[in-house]
Amino acid sequence: MSKILIAYYSQSGSTKELVQKLVQRTKSDVVEITVPADTFPSDMFETADVAKEQRKEKKFPPLTSKIPDLKQYDTLIIAGPNWSASVATPVISFLQKIQDFKGRVISLNTSVGQNDEQYNEDFRKQAKNLNVVATINNDGSKLDNYLDK
């Protein structure tokens, strides 16, 4: 099995819960994508408005988490919530910082089934030149198809 890093952003805790299960199963390293505490309000509708403005202005939140040296990893799983069929803006900030990563990238989004295909398209767009080999929606068990390759 390749060396894997799971990087995730979780605002409500759903993505974090899924990632914790994956880490136990895959023995992956993990890093939480974090932003300043005052970046988003606690209300999800207000958060959606803030994120829409960030996307419109192309001013994504700064990261407060430290990104490890990615050269030691073959595979990077990037997990985050599906915000209105789009990638969460903290995940976009992370993607912008890792454009030199040469390994495989797998997107894992958590949502309530809202326009997952549109989210997947947005993830590939935001990933730019990264080698995205899979986009998976709400189901960490589907990762098995990609981790042993």
Side-chain angles (χ1 to χ4, degrees):
M1 187 178 282
S2 64
K3 179 112 173 160
I4 301 166
L5 174 68
I6 301 174
Y8 75 94
Y9 174 75
S10 185
Q11 186 175 21
S12 69
S14 298
T15 304
K16 183 176 186 173
E17 185 177 317
L18 176 60
V19 165
Q20 288 172 335
K21 291 175 186 173
L22 285 175
V23 168
Q24 289 177 353
R25 200 171 92 232
T26 62
K27 308 297 185 225
S28 302
D29 294 340
V30 65
V31 63
E32 182 176 8
I33 299 168
T34 57
V35 295
D38 62 349
T39 302
F40 298 107
S42 59
D43 179 81
M44 74 176 196
F45 297 108
E46 291 175 20
T47 293
D49 291 340
V50 170
K52 285 178 188 171
E53 188 64 24
Q54 289 171 340
R55 289 179 73 96
K56 180 181 171 189
E57 300 292 324
K58 296 191 183 330
K59 291 184 180 175
F60 303 108
L63 301 180
T64 56
S65 48
K66 183 181 181 314
I67 300 172
D69 181 3
L70 298 180
K71 291 178 187 162
Q72 62 184 312
Y73 299 100
D74 304 303
T75 302
L76 178 55
I77 299 168
I78 303 174
N82 178 333
W83 282 359
S84 304
S86 299
V87 176
T89 55
V91 174
I92 294 172
S93 294
F94 181 79
L95 289 168
Q96 289 176 342
K97 297 239 181 241
I98 63 159
Q99 286 298 302
D100 291 337
F101 180 66
K102 301 299 181 205
R104 300 176 315 151
V105 173
I106 299 171
S107 165
L108 177 61
N109 88 74
T110 53
S111 75
V112 291
Q114 58 182 30
N115 299 311
D116 286 331
E117 289 308 312
Q118 189 175 338
Y119 175 94
N120 294 341
E121 288 175 28
D122 187 47
F123 185 90
R124 289 182 184 278
K125 176 183 169 190
Q126 300 300 334
K128 297 182 181 160
N129 296 320
L130 294 171
N131 180 25
V132 179
V133 298
T135 52
I136 300 171
N137 308 307
N138 295 311
D139 188 355
S141 67
K142 292 181 181 175
L143 285 169
D144 292 340
N145 298 330
Y146 302 95
L147 296 182
D148 290 324
K149 294 181 180 180

